[in-house]
Structures are given as C-alpha cells and as structure tokens.
Amino acid sequence: MTAYTATVTVRLKHGVLDPEAETTQRALERLEFELEDLRSADQFEVDLDAADADAAADRAGEMAERLLANPTIHDYEVDVTER
C-alpha cells in the first residue's frame, strides 16, 4: 500500500444560489476588484493508503458521493497526490 492525499473540492452546481459567494463578490467589487463571477467551495484533504492513485481516487470519490457532497446541488472533483 502507498500513502496518498486525496483533495476533494465540493462546490455548488451552476444555477444554484450561492449567497456566501454573492456577498464576497460584492465586497470585492466595492474594493474595486473586477471579476466576472465568484463561487465558493469546500475542500477536504483525506490521507489514506491505497494500492495505487486510481484506487485512492475511487475511494475519495465514494466518500464525496456518500457524504461530502449532495449530488442534487453539488459538483465535486478529486485530485490525488502521493505522500
């Protein structure tokens, strides 16, 4: 087994209201930053042992689907690095 860190980024799907991002975007615009759009996201780092990077990504993806993300309103992505 090899040690991996899986980073799971969970964000709201396009079209789902994101009040935290809207408030932050307005504040940035008041500070004279120009931006097209802003979305908030949650990031989880999971340390785990797996046979290979694909197996680690599969396990982290299962975690996202079963608990970390609500598939009705969230998209997620998994990035795996060896520790």
Side-chain angles (χ1 to χ4, degrees), residues 25-65:
Q25 181 173 349
R26 284 193 304 271
L28 287 168
E29 289 169 344
R30 281 194 301 274
L31 293 171
E32 299 181 2
F33 288 99
E34 292 181 25
L35 42 138
E36 190 173 315
D37 195 19
L38 181 78
R39 294 178 21 197
S40 63
D42 291 321
Q43 194 171 70
F44 301 91
E45 290 185 0
V46 181
D47 293 335
L48 52 100
D49 292 326
D52 56 34
D54 288 337
D58 289 345
R59 280 188 59 204
E62 184 179 353
M63 291 176 197
E65 289 188 21

Side-chain angles (χ1 to χ4, degrees), residues 11-30 35 37-42 73-74:
R11 64 179 54 88
L12 292 168
K13 291 183 177 186
H14 286 287
V16 176
L17 293 179
D18 188 347
E20 180 182 3
E22 290 174 11
T23 300
T24 303
Q25 181 173 349
R26 284 193 304 271
L28 287 168
E29 289 169 344
R30 281 194 301 274
L35 42 138
D37 195 19
L38 181 78
R39 294 178 21 197
S40 63
D42 291 321
I73 61 170
H74 293 123

